[in-house]
Amino acid sequence: DGKRKEFPLQKNDIVYLDTKGTANLPEKLSESQALKIVSDEGIEWKDSVKFVGVRSQTLFEIIDFKEKCDCEITITSVTDGTHATGTESHSTGYKIDLRSKDKTIGEEKKLYEYIKNNFVEIKERTESDGTKSKQWKNKGGAIYALEYEGKDNEHWDVLVGSKTKNVYNFVTSKFDNERDEKV
């Protein structure tokens, strides 16, 4: 806003000059950076979830999705847990799992209906245990797969691959607009 502000800093302290802390974020986030972002956006997560190493682009896809879907989001896994390995996997920060449990009621239904009505259904994929997962792709190229449909461990596996359209500029411009409106 052009005004001078002073911040008492100690070694390794970070101060972001935007209100949401999204300027100059690294490609991969630390645990604290990711937690601040999801917390600021009102996104819930299970206690056991680890965010360290998640890609900024992956997290911003979920923020953009939440905004467009206008539904509650609960993250159930990011870089934690036992997942398949690969170049674009959970462990490399390209995937996030979202709660589903019962896609016929409440927020889970709203999430399912949004995906089904706004994304393009693509070929099912086969999981390592042989089960089939329905998949949908959004306009940006992110793939939302409904894993273990109808089972206790049903959830959305979201892949924000290297060829996915970058939503970072959209999300950060949204934050800039919010900041401008507050000034």
Short mmCIF file of all heavy atoms in Angstrom, two decimals, residues 10-52:
data_model
loop_
_atom_site.label_atom_id
_atom_site.label_comp_id
_atom_site.label_asym_id
_atom_site.label_seq_id
_atom_site.Cartn_x
_atom_site.Cartn_y
_atom_site.Cartn_z
N GLN A 10 14.06 -11.95 13.39
CA GLN A 10 15.19 -12.72 13.89
C GLN A 10 15.67 -13.60 12.75
O GLN A 10 14.98 -13.75 11.73
CB GLN A 10 14.77 -13.57 15.08
CG GLN A 10 14.35 -12.73 16.27
CD GLN A 10 13.96 -13.61 17.45
OE1 GLN A 10 14.16 -14.81 17.44
NE2 GLN A 10 13.39 -13.00 18.47
N LYS A 11 16.81 -14.20 12.90
CA LYS A 11 17.37 -15.05 11.86
C LYS A 11 16.34 -16.09 11.41
O LYS A 11 15.65 -16.70 12.23
CB LYS A 11 18.62 -15.75 12.39
CG LYS A 11 19.34 -16.56 11.34
CD LYS A 11 20.62 -17.16 11.87
CE LYS A 11 21.32 -17.92 10.77
NZ LYS A 11 22.56 -18.50 11.22
N ASN A 12 16.22 -16.26 10.09
CA ASN A 12 15.34 -17.22 9.44
C ASN A 12 13.86 -16.85 9.48
O ASN A 12 13.01 -17.64 9.07
CB ASN A 12 15.53 -18.64 9.97
CG ASN A 12 16.92 -19.16 9.69
OD1 ASN A 12 17.48 -18.88 8.64
ND2 ASN A 12 17.47 -19.91 10.61
N ASP A 13 13.48 -15.67 10.01
CA ASP A 13 12.09 -15.23 9.95
C ASP A 13 11.75 -14.85 8.52
O ASP A 13 12.60 -14.35 7.78
CB ASP A 13 11.85 -14.01 10.85
CG ASP A 13 11.74 -14.40 12.32
OD1 ASP A 13 11.70 -15.60 12.62
OD2 ASP A 13 11.68 -13.47 13.15
N ILE A 14 10.50 -15.08 8.15
CA ILE A 14 10.04 -14.73 6.81
C ILE A 14 8.86 -13.78 6.96
O ILE A 14 7.95 -14.01 7.76
CB ILE A 14 9.58 -15.99 6.03
CG1 ILE A 14 10.76 -16.94 5.85
CG2 ILE A 14 8.96 -15.61 4.70
CD1 ILE A 14 10.37 -18.28 5.24
N VAL A 15 8.84 -12.73 6.17
CA VAL A 15 7.71 -11.82 6.11
C VAL A 15 7.27 -11.74 4.66
O VAL A 15 8.08 -11.43 3.79
CB VAL A 15 8.08 -10.40 6.63
CG1 VAL A 15 6.92 -9.45 6.41
CG2 VAL A 15 8.46 -10.46 8.09
N TYR A 16 5.99 -12.04 4.40
CA TYR A 16 5.45 -11.92 3.06
C TYR A 16 4.81 -10.55 2.92
O TYR A 16 4.17 -10.06 3.84
CB TYR A 16 4.40 -13.01 2.80
CG TYR A 16 5.00 -14.39 2.79
CD1 TYR A 16 4.89 -15.23 3.89
CD2 TYR A 16 5.69 -14.84 1.68
CE1 TYR A 16 5.45 -16.49 3.88
CE2 TYR A 16 6.25 -16.10 1.65
CZ TYR A 16 6.12 -16.92 2.75
OH TYR A 16 6.68 -18.16 2.74
N LEU A 17 4.95 -9.95 1.78
CA LEU A 17 4.43 -8.62 1.57
C LEU A 17 3.00 -8.61 1.05
O LEU A 17 2.41 -7.57 0.88
CB LEU A 17 5.34 -7.85 0.60
CG LEU A 17 6.77 -7.67 1.11
CD1 LEU A 17 7.59 -6.90 0.08
CD2 LEU A 17 6.79 -6.96 2.45
N ASP A 18 2.43 -9.78 0.83
CA ASP A 18 1.02 -9.82 0.48
C ASP A 18 0.24 -10.37 1.67
O ASP A 18 0.80 -10.98 2.57
CB ASP A 18 0.79 -10.64 -0.78
CG ASP A 18 1.09 -12.12 -0.61
OD1 ASP A 18 1.91 -12.45 0.26
OD2 ASP A 18 0.52 -12.93 -1.35
N THR A 19 -1.06 -10.16 1.69
CA THR A 19 -1.86 -10.50 2.86
C THR A 19 -2.03 -12.00 3.07
O THR A 19 -2.26 -12.44 4.18
CB THR A 19 -3.26 -9.87 2.77
OG1 THR A 19 -3.90 -10.32 1.59
CG2 THR A 19 -3.15 -8.36 2.78
N LYS A 20 -1.94 -12.78 2.03
CA LYS A 20 -2.15 -14.22 2.16
C LYS A 20 -0.85 -15.01 2.24
O LYS A 20 -0.87 -16.20 2.44
CB LYS A 20 -2.97 -14.75 0.97
CG LYS A 20 -4.37 -14.22 0.92
CD LYS A 20 -5.24 -14.93 1.92
CE LYS A 20 -6.69 -14.50 1.71
NZ LYS A 20 -7.61 -15.28 2.49
N GLY A 21 0.27 -14.36 2.04
CA GLY A 21 1.54 -15.08 2.11
C GLY A 21 1.81 -15.95 0.90
O GLY A 21 2.44 -17.00 1.02
N THR A 22 1.33 -15.56 -0.27
CA THR A 22 1.51 -16.38 -1.46
C THR A 22 2.58 -15.87 -2.41
O THR A 22 2.96 -16.56 -3.34
CB THR A 22 0.19 -16.49 -2.25
OG1 THR A 22 -0.24 -15.18 -2.60
CG2 THR A 22 -0.87 -17.20 -1.44
N ALA A 23 3.06 -14.65 -2.18
CA ALA A 23 4.08 -14.10 -3.09
C ALA A 23 5.39 -14.85 -2.91
O ALA A 23 5.80 -15.18 -1.80
CB ALA A 23 4.30 -12.62 -2.80
N ASN A 24 6.04 -15.12 -4.00
CA ASN A 24 7.36 -15.74 -4.00
C ASN A 24 7.42 -17.08 -3.28
O ASN A 24 8.44 -17.41 -2.68
CB ASN A 24 8.39 -14.77 -3.39
CG ASN A 24 8.42 -13.46 -4.12
OD1 ASN A 24 8.46 -13.43 -5.34
ND2 ASN A 24 8.38 -12.37 -3.37
N LEU A 25 6.34 -17.84 -3.32
CA LEU A 25 6.37 -19.16 -2.70
C LEU A 25 7.25 -20.09 -3.54
O LEU A 25 7.27 -20.01 -4.76
CB LEU A 25 4.97 -19.76 -2.61
CG LEU A 25 4.08 -19.22 -1.51
CD1 LEU A 25 2.68 -19.80 -1.65
CD2 LEU A 25 4.64 -19.52 -0.14
N PRO A 26 7.96 -20.99 -2.88
CA PRO A 26 8.76 -21.97 -3.63
C PRO A 26 7.84 -22.98 -4.33
O PRO A 26 6.65 -23.07 -4.01
CB PRO A 26 9.58 -22.65 -2.54
CG PRO A 26 8.79 -22.48 -1.29
CD PRO A 26 8.05 -21.18 -1.44
N GLU A 27 8.40 -23.73 -5.25
CA GLU A 27 7.61 -24.75 -5.95
C GLU A 27 7.07 -25.77 -4.94
O GLU A 27 5.93 -26.19 -5.03
CB GLU A 27 8.44 -25.48 -7.00
CG GLU A 27 7.64 -26.54 -7.72
CD GLU A 27 8.43 -27.35 -8.72
OE1 GLU A 27 9.56 -26.96 -9.08
OE2 GLU A 27 7.91 -28.39 -9.15
N LYS A 28 7.90 -26.16 -3.99
CA LYS A 28 7.47 -27.10 -2.94
C LYS A 28 7.42 -26.35 -1.62
O LYS A 28 8.32 -25.59 -1.28
CB LYS A 28 8.41 -28.29 -2.86
CG LYS A 28 8.32 -29.15 -4.11
CD LYS A 28 8.84 -30.52 -3.87
CE LYS A 28 8.60 -31.37 -5.11
NZ LYS A 28 8.69 -32.76 -4.81
N LEU A 29 6.36 -26.61 -0.87
CA LEU A 29 6.11 -25.87 0.36
C LEU A 29 6.59 -26.60 1.60
O LEU A 29 6.61 -27.83 1.63
CB LEU A 29 4.61 -25.61 0.50
CG LEU A 29 3.94 -24.83 -0.64
CD1 LEU A 29 2.44 -24.80 -0.45
CD2 LEU A 29 4.51 -23.42 -0.71
N SER A 30 6.92 -25.83 2.61
CA SER A 30 7.20 -26.41 3.92
C SER A 30 5.86 -26.71 4.58
O SER A 30 4.80 -26.26 4.13
CB SER A 30 7.99 -25.42 4.78
OG SER A 30 7.16 -24.32 5.15
N GLU A 31 5.90 -27.45 5.65
CA GLU A 31 4.69 -27.78 6.41
C GLU A 31 3.99 -26.50 6.85
O GLU A 31 2.78 -26.34 6.68
CB GLU A 31 5.07 -28.65 7.62
CG GLU A 31 3.89 -29.20 8.37
CD GLU A 31 3.30 -30.45 7.74
OE1 GLU A 31 3.88 -31.02 6.80
OE2 GLU A 31 2.22 -30.85 8.19
N SER A 32 4.73 -25.56 7.42
CA SER A 32 4.12 -24.34 7.95
C SER A 32 3.54 -23.46 6.83
O SER A 32 2.48 -22.87 7.00
CB SER A 32 5.11 -23.56 8.80
OG SER A 32 6.22 -23.15 8.03
N GLN A 33 4.21 -23.37 5.70
CA GLN A 33 3.68 -22.58 4.58
C GLN A 33 2.35 -23.16 4.10
O GLN A 33 1.37 -22.43 3.91
CB GLN A 33 4.67 -22.57 3.41
CG GLN A 33 5.89 -21.73 3.65
CD GLN A 33 6.96 -21.97 2.60
OE1 GLN A 33 7.15 -23.09 2.11
NE2 GLN A 33 7.69 -20.91 2.25
N ALA A 34 2.31 -24.47 3.91
CA ALA A 34 1.09 -25.13 3.43
C ALA A 34 -0.04 -25.01 4.44
O ALA A 34 -1.18 -24.71 4.08
CB ALA A 34 1.38 -26.59 3.11
N LEU A 35 0.26 -25.21 5.72
CA LEU A 35 -0.77 -25.11 6.76
C LEU A 35 -1.36 -23.71 6.84
O LEU A 35 -2.56 -23.54 7.03
CB LEU A 35 -0.21 -25.54 8.12
CG LEU A 35 0.02 -27.03 8.28
CD1 LEU A 35 0.74 -27.33 9.59
CD2 LEU A 35 -1.30 -27.79 8.21
N LYS A 36 -0.52 -22.70 6.68
CA LYS A 36 -1.02 -21.31 6.70
C LYS A 36 -1.98 -21.09 5.55
O LYS A 36 -3.05 -20.51 5.72
CB LYS A 36 0.13 -20.32 6.64
CG LYS A 36 -0.37 -18.86 6.63
CD LYS A 36 0.74 -17.86 6.62
CE LYS A 36 0.30 -16.42 6.62
NZ LYS A 36 -1.06 -16.07 6.47
N ILE A 37 -1.62 -21.56 4.37
CA ILE A 37 -2.45 -21.36 3.19
C ILE A 37 -3.80 -22.06 3.34
O ILE A 37 -4.85 -21.45 3.14
CB ILE A 37 -1.72 -21.82 1.92
CG1 ILE A 37 -0.53 -20.88 1.63
CG2 ILE A 37 -2.67 -21.86 0.72
CD1 ILE A 37 0.43 -21.40 0.58
N VAL A 38 -3.80 -23.35 3.70
CA VAL A 38 -5.08 -24.07 3.81
C VAL A 38 -5.92 -23.51 4.96
O VAL A 38 -7.14 -23.41 4.84
CB VAL A 38 -4.91 -25.60 3.93
CG1 VAL A 38 -4.33 -26.19 2.67
CG2 VAL A 38 -4.12 -26.02 5.13
N SER A 39 -5.28 -23.13 6.03
CA SER A 39 -6.00 -22.53 7.16
C SER A 39 -6.65 -21.22 6.75
O SER A 39 -7.83 -20.97 7.04
CB SER A 39 -5.03 -22.32 8.33
OG SER A 39 -5.70 -21.72 9.41
N ASP A 40 -5.89 -20.36 6.07
CA ASP A 40 -6.43 -19.07 5.61
C ASP A 40 -7.61 -19.25 4.66
O ASP A 40 -8.49 -18.40 4.59
CB ASP A 40 -5.35 -18.25 4.89
CG ASP A 40 -4.33 -17.64 5.85
OD1 ASP A 40 -4.54 -17.72 7.09
OD2 ASP A 40 -3.31 -17.11 5.36
N GLU A 41 -7.62 -20.35 3.92
CA GLU A 41 -8.68 -20.60 2.94
C GLU A 41 -9.87 -21.38 3.53
O GLU A 41 -10.82 -21.68 2.81
CB GLU A 41 -8.13 -21.35 1.74
CG GLU A 41 -7.24 -20.49 0.88
CD GLU A 41 -7.97 -19.27 0.33
OE1 GLU A 41 -9.09 -19.41 -0.20
OE2 GLU A 41 -7.41 -18.16 0.44
N GLY A 42 -9.80 -21.73 4.81
CA GLY A 42 -10.90 -22.45 5.44
C GLY A 42 -11.00 -23.90 5.01
O GLY A 42 -12.08 -24.49 5.05
N ILE A 43 -9.89 -24.46 4.59
CA ILE A 43 -9.87 -25.86 4.19
C ILE A 43 -9.47 -26.69 5.40
O ILE A 43 -8.50 -26.38 6.08
CB ILE A 43 -8.89 -26.09 3.02
CG1 ILE A 43 -9.37 -25.32 1.79
CG2 ILE A 43 -8.75 -27.58 2.72
CD1 ILE A 43 -8.41 -25.34 0.63
N GLU A 44 -10.23 -27.73 5.67
CA GLU A 44 -9.94 -28.60 6.81
C GLU A 44 -9.03 -29.74 6.37
O GLU A 44 -8.95 -30.07 5.20
CB GLU A 44 -11.24 -29.15 7.39
CG GLU A 44 -12.14 -28.05 7.95
CD GLU A 44 -13.43 -28.60 8.51
OE1 GLU A 44 -13.58 -29.83 8.66
OE2 GLU A 44 -14.31 -27.78 8.80
N TRP A 45 -8.38 -30.37 7.35
CA TRP A 45 -7.52 -31.51 7.07
C TRP A 45 -7.52 -32.42 8.29
O TRP A 45 -7.73 -31.98 9.41
CB TRP A 45 -6.10 -31.08 6.72
CG TRP A 45 -5.37 -30.35 7.82
CD1 TRP A 45 -4.57 -30.89 8.79
CD2 TRP A 45 -5.41 -28.95 8.09
NE1 TRP A 45 -4.10 -29.92 9.63
CE2 TRP A 45 -4.60 -28.71 9.23
CE3 TRP A 45 -6.04 -27.85 7.50
CZ2 TRP A 45 -4.42 -27.43 9.78
CZ3 TRP A 45 -5.87 -26.59 8.05
CH2 TRP A 45 -5.05 -26.40 9.16
N LYS A 46 -7.31 -33.72 8.03
CA LYS A 46 -7.19 -34.69 9.12
C LYS A 46 -5.90 -34.43 9.88
O LYS A 46 -4.91 -33.98 9.30
CB LYS A 46 -7.20 -36.11 8.57
CG LYS A 46 -8.57 -36.57 8.12
CD LYS A 46 -8.58 -37.96 7.51
CE LYS A 46 -7.69 -38.97 8.18
NZ LYS A 46 -7.74 -40.30 7.62
N ASP A 47 -5.90 -34.73 11.17
CA ASP A 47 -4.73 -34.49 12.02
C ASP A 47 -3.47 -35.18 11.52
O ASP A 47 -2.38 -34.67 11.68
CB ASP A 47 -5.01 -34.94 13.46
CG ASP A 47 -5.99 -34.02 14.17
OD1 ASP A 47 -6.15 -32.86 13.72
OD2 ASP A 47 -6.59 -34.46 15.16
N SER A 48 -3.62 -36.33 10.91
CA SER A 48 -2.45 -37.12 10.50
C SER A 48 -1.82 -36.64 9.19
O SER A 48 -0.77 -37.13 8.80
CB SER A 48 -2.86 -38.58 10.35
OG SER A 48 -3.89 -38.69 9.39
N VAL A 49 -2.43 -35.69 8.52
CA VAL A 49 -1.96 -35.25 7.20
C VAL A 49 -0.64 -34.50 7.32
O VAL A 49 -0.47 -33.65 8.18
CB VAL A 49 -3.02 -34.36 6.51
CG1 VAL A 49 -2.47 -33.75 5.23
CG2 VAL A 49 -4.28 -35.16 6.21
N LYS A 50 0.27 -34.82 6.42
CA LYS A 50 1.56 -34.12 6.31
C LYS A 50 1.58 -33.39 4.98
O LYS A 50 1.28 -33.96 3.94
CB LYS A 50 2.73 -35.10 6.39
CG LYS A 50 2.79 -35.86 7.68
CD LYS A 50 3.11 -34.94 8.84
CE LYS A 50 3.17 -35.71 10.14
NZ LYS A 50 2.55 -35.04 11.24
N PHE A 51 1.95 -32.11 5.02
CA PHE A 51 1.97 -31.27 3.83
C PHE A 51 3.38 -31.00 3.30
O PHE A 51 3.52 -30.45 2.22
CB PHE A 51 1.32 -29.91 4.13
CG PHE A 51 -0.17 -29.97 4.31
CD1 PHE A 51 -0.73 -30.22 5.55
CD2 PHE A 51 -1.02 -29.76 3.24
CE1 PHE A 51 -2.09 -30.25 5.73
CE2 PHE A 51 -2.39 -29.80 3.40
CZ PHE A 51 -2.94 -30.05 4.65
N VAL A 52 4.40 -31.33 4.06
CA VAL A 52 5.76 -30.97 3.67
C VAL A 52 6.08 -31.53 2.28
O VAL A 52 5.85 -32.70 2.00
CB VAL A 52 6.80 -31.42 4.71
CG1 VAL A 52 6.87 -32.94 4.83
CG2 VAL A 52 8.17 -30.84 4.42
#
